[in-house]
Amino acid sequence: MSGVRLLVGTRKGAFVLSSDGRRTDWKIDGPFFGGWEMYHMKGSPSDPNRIYASQSSGWFGQLIQRSDDGGATWNPVGNDFQYEGVTGTHQSFDGTPHPWEFERVWHLEPSLDDPDTVYAGIEDAALFKSTDGGSTWEELSGLRGHGSGPSWQPGAGGMCLHTIILDPSDAERMFIAISAAGAFRSDDAGKSWRPINRGLRSGQIPEEEAEVGHCVHHVAQHPSRPETLFMQKHWDVMRSDDGGESWYEVSGNLPTDFGFPIDIHAHEPDTIYVVPITSDEQHFPPEGKLRVYRSRSGGNEWEPLTKGLPHSNCYVNILRDAMSVDRLDDCGIYFGTTGGQVYASSDGGDSWNAIVRDLPAVLSVEAQTLP
Amino acid sequence: MIRVVLPAHLKTLAGVSGEVQLDVVGPVTQRAVIDAIECAYPVLGGTIRDRVTMERRKFVRFFVCGEDWSHEPADTPLPDAVVLGNEPFVVIGAMAGG
């Protein structure tokens, strides 16, 4: 029987949760790298035993760990992330120019077909690539250098490149997103980039429909419909049907359209999931009720999913990389909270159970579907 | 031989327990000691000082003979007690956060 492995990054270490295809009994391994912030872990689609993990600390900086045995053992690989060429500046919080400075790796995206190739999204926002299993890293500097870089400004969480999507239908096409610059697309495997933010509207910036400056929280793409993208923005849930050339709002009847994660059902490209959060000033669910909202129509019409989730006194947040889906026939949905719970649904979101309740604050959840 | 005490996280990364002992080439300074640490344990590159600026990471401290040497110039000779191995060069994570 096939199984599922969840790679859970937390504020104080990494955990590997595994189950067979029934997804009723879970084995919890960890903490790995106890005491370190594990912003993200992700396995290679072409070799699920190859997993990359971002390990960082305010004291001791950044490391990248690699496992070649499904997370049982780990080895540090390269941590030398040096911006290419003249570093230049971006905008600081106060609007003054600030030199680009490496802070941490937010997201690791292994290649779809080569386990040794992996991309890293970092703070201060830039995109790096390794083709030797994470030993060495090279910046894809066309992103920072495409023109608008000096005007980028950090969001409250830092100026992070947090989303990397490798288009399964076109090896040359990539999407990335940055808080608070927006979404960008490359059609030449990362050499050159352009902003794709037309249709986004952000009341928190002076020019609401500016080409860059939008606080995109997360973007999701279904592999069977690569031209369609769904975005959870700071406020607003957005959709594009033309590879990001233009966006329109699909927040519809959500109780609030602020939130962080967004994900798509593995087998239904019009079924999407978000977790509404009260506001940018109150990062917890409205009314203290933890509800995942599902749209089966690609947006606009949303239904709350509440069975098995706390109905009161719940004041956690769900961060942008902390939701994932498996690819089993009955699609599993998973998300982790800043309160340390990891919730699972093995029926497309109709009902939920907590796999574990008392981990450190969860930063990321990635599901691997195992043969 | 220079004796070096590493914080727990860095000992775990380096795969060592207790103090480590290092040969330091030339004048024994903070820079020379960190160079020797990174040479002996490449995994610690970037964890004690920034890879680009080579400056001490802001929440890392260096203690020598019961004094905080973190703000001393990197090329200042360390005391004889460290050079002779009577006292360790202590790398420590600063008290900050939880």
Side-chain angles (χ1 to χ4, degrees):
Chain A
M1 174 183 277
S2 57
V4 174
R5 183 161 57 214
L6 299 183
L7 309 173
V8 180
T10 80
R11 286 257 180 242
K12 297 291 181 185
F15 298 83
V16 177
L17 285 49
S18 49
S19 171
D20 62 23
R22 287 187 293 269
R23 295 163 291 182
T24 51
D25 297 311
W26 291 84
K27 177 170 175 276
I28 299 168
D29 292 311
F32 299 95
F33 323 114
W36 292 75
E37 292 184 311
M38 304 302 295
Y39 264 62
H40 194 228
M41 310 159 72
K42 193 159 187 178
S44 162
S46 57
D47 176 4
N49 280 332
R50 167 65 63 85
I51 302 171
Y52 296 95
S54 170
Q55 172 188 10
S56 66
S57 142
W59 288 266
F60 305 119
Q62 177 73 50
L63 289 107
I64 300 294
Q65 296 278 349
R66 191 181 88 195
S67 174
D68 295 322
D69 56 10
T73 62
W74 297 85
N75 286 298
V77 284
N79 65 346
D80 194 358
F81 292 88
Q82 297 205 24
Y83 296 106
E84 186 182 286
V86 177
T87 307
T89 61
H90 60 80
Q91 298 292 301
S92 183
F93 286 107
D94 62 6
T96 57
H98 185 83
W100 248 274
E101 287 179 313
F102 174 82
E103 183 66 27
R104 64 169 57 84
V105 173
W106 278 67
H107 185 96
L108 291 162
E109 190 67 32
S111 155
L112 299 175
D113 50 20
D114 174 14
D116 283 336
T117 295
V118 56
Y119 297 85
I122 74 162
E123 175 189 354
D124 288 336
L127 182 64
F128 280 73
K129 180 180 183 180
S130 171
T131 57
D132 55 10
S135 297
T136 61
W137 296 89
E138 186 175 353
E139 186 188 7
L140 297 177
S141 58
L143 174 62
R144 270 190 323 123
H146 85 276
S148 70
S151 71
W152 299 352
Q153 205 163 19
M159 201 174 80
C160 52
L161 194 163
H162 50 68
T163 298
I164 303 169
I165 296 173
L166 307 175
D167 194 317
S169 66
D170 181 351
E172 300 281 292
R173 179 170 282 193
M174 304 170 65
F175 302 90
I176 64 95
I178 296 168
S179 291
F184 298 81
R185 194 179 88 198
S186 171
D187 292 312
D188 55 10
K191 294 185 194 67
S192 64
W193 294 83
R194 63 188 176 87
I196 48 164
N197 300 304
R198 192 153 59 88
L200 304 187
R201 193 178 177 89
S202 300
Q204 300 78 28
I205 55 179
E207 187 186 341
E208 292 191 356
E209 297 179 72
E211 185 177 43
V212 298
H214 302 276
C215 192
V216 175
H217 283 182
H218 203 51
V219 182
Q221 178 201 55
H222 194 278
S224 73
R225 202 185 287 170
E227 287 293 307
T228 297
L229 301 170
F230 293 100
M231 174 192 291
Q232 173 68 68
K233 197 161 65 67
H234 194 74
W235 293 95
D236 303 333
V237 178
M238 308 294 293
R239 172 175 175 152
S240 170
D241 292 313
D242 52 11
E245 296 290 345
S246 62
W247 297 85
Y248 58 97
E249 187 174 359
V250 292
S251 305
N253 62 331
L254 287 170
T256 157
D257 57 18
F258 188 90
F260 291 93
I262 186 164
D263 217 330
I264 308 172
H265 191 286
H267 314 299
E268 301 171 13
D270 267 333
T271 299
I272 53 179
Y273 301 87
V274 296
V275 185
I277 293 297
T278 303
S279 71
D280 48 1
E281 294 176 330
Q282 299 182 59
H283 283 190
F284 47 75
E287 307 168 67
K289 299 176 182 174
L290 182 53
R291 290 166 290 191
V292 175
Y293 273 70
R294 177 175 63 196
S295 170
R296 292 186 184 278
S297 55
N300 283 324
E301 296 89 35
W302 298 87
E303 57 177 327
L305 307 173
T306 62
K307 188 177 178 184
L309 297 176
H311 295 172
S312 62
N313 301 317
C314 182
Y315 294 94
V316 298
N317 193 7
I318 291 81
L319 301 179
R320 69 189 83 228
D321 249 341
M323 177 179 266
S324 188
V325 301
D326 70 32
R327 310 199 65 76
L328 295 181
D329 287 344
D330 217 352
C331 176
I333 323 292
Y334 309 90
F335 70 91
T337 79
T338 55
Q341 300 87 30
V342 178
Y343 289 100
S345 169
S346 57
D347 53 14
D350 290 337
S351 63
W352 299 85
N353 285 297
I355 299 174
V356 59
R357 290 191 175 277
D358 297 305
L359 297 185
V362 174
L363 302 175
S364 62
V365 175
E366 288 289 351
Q368 290 185 286
T369 308
L370 304 176
Chain B
M1 282 293 204
I2 304 299
R3 297 162 52 203
V4 174
V5 174
L6 294 169
H9 280 314
L10 299 193
K11 282 195 282 193
T12 301
L13 280 174
V16 300
S17 57
E19 291 182 2
V20 298
Q21 297 194 337
L22 300 166
D23 283 320
V24 173
V25 179
V28 178
T29 63
Q30 285 185 32
R31 188 190 311 279
V33 171
I34 305 303
D35 285 346
I37 293 171
E38 292 179 352
C39 182
Y41 306 104
V43 68
L44 300 185
T47 65
I48 297 171
R49 59 186 176 184
D50 185 273
R51 278 191 178 276
V52 177
T53 66
M54 303 302 276
E55 296 288 325
R56 173 182 54 82
R57 295 186 58 80
K58 61 184 176 184
F59 291 139
V60 171
R61 290 285 183 274
F62 303 139
F63 290 175
V64 175
C65 300
E67 294 182 356
D68 186 351
W69 273 57
S70 306
H71 300 289
E72 293 293 325
D75 293 319
T76 300
L78 293 171
D80 286 347
V82 173
V83 177
L84 297 171
N86 295 327
E87 288 285 338
F89 180 85
V90 179
V91 180
I92 192 168
M95 285 188 289

